[in-house]
Amino acid sequence: MNQEITVFGKTFVPFIDRHKIQQRISEIATQINQDYEGEEPLLIGILNGSFIFAADLFRGLTINASISFVKLASYKGTTSTGNVVTAIGLDENLQGRHVIIVEDIIDTGKTLSAFIPEIYQRGPASVKIATFLTKPSALKYDVKADYTAFEIENKFVLGYGLDYDGIGRNIPDLYQLK
Ligand code: IMP
Ligand code: MG
């Protein structure tokens, strides 16, 4: 993992290698196993970016847990509230469920701040957030993750599910814009 890679003319350098990623995810899985002992949480992964992280995190769980995925569609609103985010494919009954939202990265927090009220409307017993990455210095909305694999600086990253214009999600390590 000492090679630079180029995507659409932009150069990315190695940032966090796959072993460190897997190590950190197993720590989070262990924490979730303890926190939800005796419960059956429902993980909700947000597509597309979270699918790799969600798969690895889910495999680390030894408690009884379920997983589902949603895709978020944002519409340019004509009201002062701006974009409205709607979940596609959220057909699970969340009444009384312990929900863990799984995200690839919290950047400004806009996506999750719009999505979380929609989850609460469905009457879950609890809602927590697990994210692979956070960029604390980019945060603009009131969103706080309960489980974070890595806090990173405000630079664009690629790999491990995260893309640059659709490319790079399959790279097992995390790269950073040079
Ligand atoms: P937010 O709504 O500003 O928190 O943005 C979250 C979404 O933006 C993530 O789910 C990603 O799809 C995308 N995103 C933010 N930062 C990056 C990055 O550094 N690399 C790739 N995608 C990113
Ligand atoms: Mg995403």
Side-chain angles (χ1 to χ4, degrees):
M1 195 208 161
N2 39 29
Q3 294 281 318
E4 290 184 353
I5 54 172
T6 303
V7 178
F8 299 129
K10 296 229 187 297
T11 303
F12 293 84
V13 294
F15 184 34
I16 305 176
D17 81 81
R18 65 192 74 183
H19 304 292
K20 202 171 167 197
I21 290 172
Q22 295 304 328
Q23 168 60 33
R24 186 69 191 111
I25 289 170
S26 69
E27 288 172 13
I28 292 177
T30 300
Q31 189 63 56
I32 291 175
N33 286 329
Q34 288 171 9
D35 293 351
Y36 290 84
E37 198 185 345
E39 309 287 353
E40 291 182 10
L42 169 66
L43 280 67
I44 300 179
I46 299 177
L47 295 172
N48 295 322
S50 80
F51 80 112
I52 303 264
F53 173 54
D56 284 343
L57 182 65
F58 192 58
R59 274 181 294 196
L61 299 183
T62 51
I63 51 176
N64 287 339
S66 325
I67 191 163
S68 188
F69 289 89
V70 297
K71 194 147 185 159
L72 300 182
S74 49
Y75 304 94
K76 279 264 191 303
T78 51
T79 62
S80 58
T81 53
N83 288 355
V84 179
V85 175
T86 308
I88 300 172
L90 187 54
D91 44 20
E92 236 74 31
N93 180 5
L94 302 188
Q95 200 73 41
R97 298 298 307 270
H98 293 287
V99 172
I100 304 174
I101 295 167
V102 183
E103 190 39 315
D104 55 352
I105 181 168
I106 299 175
D107 184 24
T108 65
K110 185 175 183 172
T111 310
L112 281 186
S113 73
F115 178 54
I116 284 168
E118 202 176 319
I119 294 290
Y120 273 110
Q121 275 173 12
R122 294 168 186 246
S126 70
V127 180
K128 284 193 182 183
I129 300 169
T131 187
F132 175 52
L133 301 171
T134 57
K135 287 179 178 170
S137 65
L139 194 66
K140 290 195 187 117
Y141 293 79
D142 184 23
V143 176
K144 202 178 170 301
D146 299 280
Y147 306 99
T148 302
F150 300 100
E151 283 190 359
I152 63 169
E153 61 185 311
N154 191 8
K155 273 194 187 173
F156 194 81
V157 290
L158 177 79
Y160 198 72
L162 291 107
D163 71 303
Y164 175 43
D165 274 359
I167 300 299
R169 296 193 197 275
N170 52 319
I171 300 168
D173 310 285
L174 191 68
Y175 282 71
Q176 188 176 52
L177 188 62
K178 191 174 180 179

